[in-house]
Amino acid sequence: MKGNMRAGMAQGVNLTPQLLQSIRLLQLTAPQLEQELRQALDLNPMLEQEDPAEEADGADDAQAATLEAASWDELPEPAFLSGGGLHGGDGDDATLRIADPASSDPRVRLLQQLALHWDPRDLELAAWWLDHCDDRGYLEQPLADLLAQGADAFPLRAGDVAVVRQRLLHGDWPGMAAADAGECLQAQLSALPESPLRTLAARMLDAHLDLLCVHDDRALAAALHADEAQVRAAVALVLTLRAHPAETPIQADDAHIVPDVVAWHGGGAWRVALNQRGTPRVRIAAHCERALSGNDHPVLRGLLDEARWLVRGLAMRNDTLLRTAQVLVERQRAFLEQGDEAIAPLTLREVADAIGVHESTVSRIVSGKYIQTPRGTLELKRLFAVRLEGAEIAGSAVRAMVKRLIETEPAAAPLADDVIAGLLARQGVRVARRTVAKYRDQLSIGPARARQRQAPRAMAC
């Protein structure tokens, strides 16, 4: 056997304990950081809490933080470090890697599910049908009219338009794209195991929905030629079905929010500061450091090194958070002063370039962090906004414009989505009717027909 040796060079990242600790501190929220520091004070005798009355001299730590922040930029972005997905290409909007709850638009959530197992061509037809559903999941127009419109919109696949609606109706969310409540309930029934009770309930929905609505069990039993006890059981089965096909997202319990940064306007400029309230300020105990001078005891020396790493990593975290918040406030000054319609397009890459770090560092530092402003306490990622395609305006600003137009519309004549799109075009913002419908659904606002029905009740109040 002949052995060979071959020299080579490879580039890698040495994830030292100090660097890993700095990354973890970078991602901690204010409550998590407070818990981390209090635990460190209990476990490491080399640390002590600063007296709030004392003026801490943090110049050295701040300078070191500026010099060492670049070390984060050498890291890859696997999920175990960043908390997000892999780094995308040049056209990737890194803002999308910030953790976000489920979409408030049920159609978006359903399309995300269908994309896992539907053909892209069928998915396009499904999106068209969902675009013509209200926020409950029912068709906004008569079925015959929509079938004709679908044939015109997809002339090469006119025969598949009705087929895709049936797939939606009996798919992941049974009853979606139903023409009425009866069809919705029938679709949900058909998804249940076959049984005599299900057959009786289907007959009830098909021919005697009026008697079901008034809960007349005796009349239902006579009309269906069935036993009254069986009818009551069938009615109970129908009552277990959902009234609307669109599923609502699971809402997380409201939690107490502690802002990480505070922003205010003073002296003609916007200023930011870290919120130190409730978070202990730690430093290395001077008497312990003096006592260890020239002492090589491994355990004590290890505790001292850990204390130094923690203090240095904390300074790096605070410096990066403060500089990031300062850029966000300066870039979104118009939003803070005028409101949602003035929010400017802003991406992670633009902020990263402004403070001289990688965009993955900005993604980590803003994740889960909040800023207190005169406009309320906001998530830092709320100050990012994706640019509307083909325009110099943020999509969230267009959503705010849609909200304003709906709030000021005549109660007796609410604006349809295509009318709103026309009004926006007059202001130089050109969006499709589908885009208006998407933003309206995100705002939990019903279509024009639903708002018109609600108008008399609102006026009576």
Side-chain angles (χ1 to χ4, degrees):
M1 178 181 292
K2 182 178 180 181
N4 292 325
M5 296 183 62
R6 183 175 299 176
M9 296 181 63
Q11 186 176 9
V13 179
N14 185 19
L15 298 179
T16 64
Q18 301 96 314
L19 188 55
L20 288 172
Q21 184 184 46
S22 298
I23 294 169
R24 193 167 61 83
L25 289 174
L26 190 72
Q27 300 175 125
L28 295 180
T29 63
Q32 292 170 342
L33 180 63
E34 179 183 358
Q35 182 179 3
E36 178 83 9
L37 295 181
R38 294 196 183 281
Q39 184 178 6
L41 286 169
D42 292 338
L43 297 178
N44 195 333
M46 301 297 166
L47 290 171
E48 66 178 7
Q49 185 172 352
E50 293 184 7
D51 188 340
E54 296 180 7
E55 284 293 331
D57 182 11
D60 293 340
D61 288 335
Q63 182 180 10
T66 303
L67 293 175
E68 295 185 14
S71 62
W72 287 324
D73 301 340
E74 301 171 2
L75 291 174
E77 198 174 0
F80 78 95
L81 288 180
S82 68
L86 295 174
H87 186 70
D90 293 339
D92 177 39
D93 178 14
T95 311
L96 301 179
R97 293 198 296 274
I98 304 176
D100 200 16
S103 171
S104 60
D105 188 342
R107 300 174 303 180
V108 172
R109 298 197 306 275
L110 178 56
L111 282 174
Q112 289 172 344
Q113 292 183 24
L114 298 181
L116 299 176
H117 53 86
W118 275 43
D119 181 87
R121 298 176 69 245
D122 291 340
L123 201 64
E124 183 182 8
L125 287 173
W128 184 88
W129 276 112
L130 295 177
D131 189 42
H132 290 83
C133 292
D134 60 23
D135 51 356
R136 301 172 304 163
Y138 291 112
L139 297 179
E140 292 182 308
Q141 301 177 42
L143 177 58
D145 294 349
L146 288 176
L147 288 173
Q149 293 178 29
D152 293 338
F154 302 94
L156 299 180
R157 302 195 61 195
D160 296 332
V161 173
V163 174
V164 169
R165 188 187 83 92
Q166 288 296 320
R167 291 182 63 187
L168 286 172
L169 190 65
H170 300 280
D172 292 10
W173 294 5
M176 199 68 184
D180 51 39
E183 189 177 36
C184 171
L185 296 175
Q186 287 280 19
Q188 294 181 53
L189 267 182
S190 65
L192 300 177
E194 188 173 355
S195 67
L197 196 61
R198 190 192 80 170
T199 302
L200 183 61
R203 289 174 54 202
M204 188 185 306
L205 291 173
D206 184 51
H208 305 289
L209 191 59
D210 53 340
L211 296 177
L212 177 63
C213 291
V214 296
H215 301 284
D216 192 340
D217 295 344
R218 182 172 300 178
L220 280 170
L224 295 169
H225 304 289
D227 183 78
E228 193 169 338
Q230 292 178 326
V231 167
R232 283 196 295 269
V235 170
L237 178 61
V238 172
L239 292 178
T240 64
L241 306 176
R242 296 195 308 270
H244 310 306
E247 294 184 356
T248 56
I250 299 175
Q251 299 293 333
D253 295 335
D254 292 336
H256 180 63
I257 294 176
V258 178
D260 301 82
V261 189
V262 179
W264 72 97
H265 189 267
W270 280 91
R271 308 175 188 276
V272 297
L274 296 178
N275 179 21
Q276 301 286 0
R277 187 176 303 172
T279 303
R281 302 180 65 178
V282 299
R283 65 185 177 190
I284 299 174
H287 63 281
C288 292
E289 194 169 18
R290 287 195 300 268
L292 284 177
S293 179
N295 190 332
D296 292 330
H297 192 285
V299 175
L300 297 179
R301 179 61 59 181
L303 289 173
L304 181 60
D305 289 341
E306 288 180 8
R308 287 173 174 167
W309 297 342
L310 177 63
V311 172
R312 180 63 55 84
L314 183 61
M316 294 170 67
R317 171 198 183 273
N318 291 342
D319 175 75
T320 306
L321 178 58
L322 191 61
R323 290 189 294 138
T324 300
Q326 185 68 56
V327 171
L328 289 172
V329 168
E330 290 174 355
R331 297 289 181 91
Q332 299 296 3
R333 175 172 182 165
F335 161 72
L336 294 173
E337 294 175 353
Q338 302 171 30
D340 291 340
E341 293 188 29
I343 193 167
L346 186 62
T347 64
L348 290 176
R349 183 170 299 177
E350 291 172 323
V351 175
D353 291 343
I355 65 175
V357 299
H358 194 272
E359 59 186 295
S360 63
T361 300
V362 179
S363 175
R364 294 185 184 105
I365 198 64
V366 302
S367 181
K369 310 295 194 306
Y370 288 83
I371 181 170
Q372 180 178 311
T373 73
R375 193 164 288 279
T377 300
L378 312 169
E379 275 193 278
L380 279 176
K381 68 176 183 178
R382 173 76 172 80
L383 299 179
F384 293 93
V386 179
R387 190 183 308 274
L388 191 67
E389 185 176 357
E392 295 297 320
I393 189 172
S396 51
V398 178
R399 182 173 57 194
M401 294 178 184
V402 171
K403 180 180 180 182
R404 173 176 54 80
L405 289 172
I406 292 177
E407 288 177 344
T408 57
E409 67 187 3
L415 302 175
D417 294 339
D418 53 350
V419 175
I420 294 175
L423 293 174
L424 291 175
R426 294 182 183 179
Q427 302 179 36
V429 180
R430 299 190 177 277
V431 295
R433 176 229 180 241
R434 177 179 297 178
T435 304
V436 173
K438 179 185 72 173
Y439 289 147
R440 175 176 53 73
D441 284 344
Q442 289 177 357
L443 294 166
S444 299
I445 299 175
R449 183 177 58 184
R451 300 200 302 273
Q452 189 173 26
R453 290 197 300 267
Q454 295 170 0
R457 292 197 295 270
M459 294 174 62
C461 295

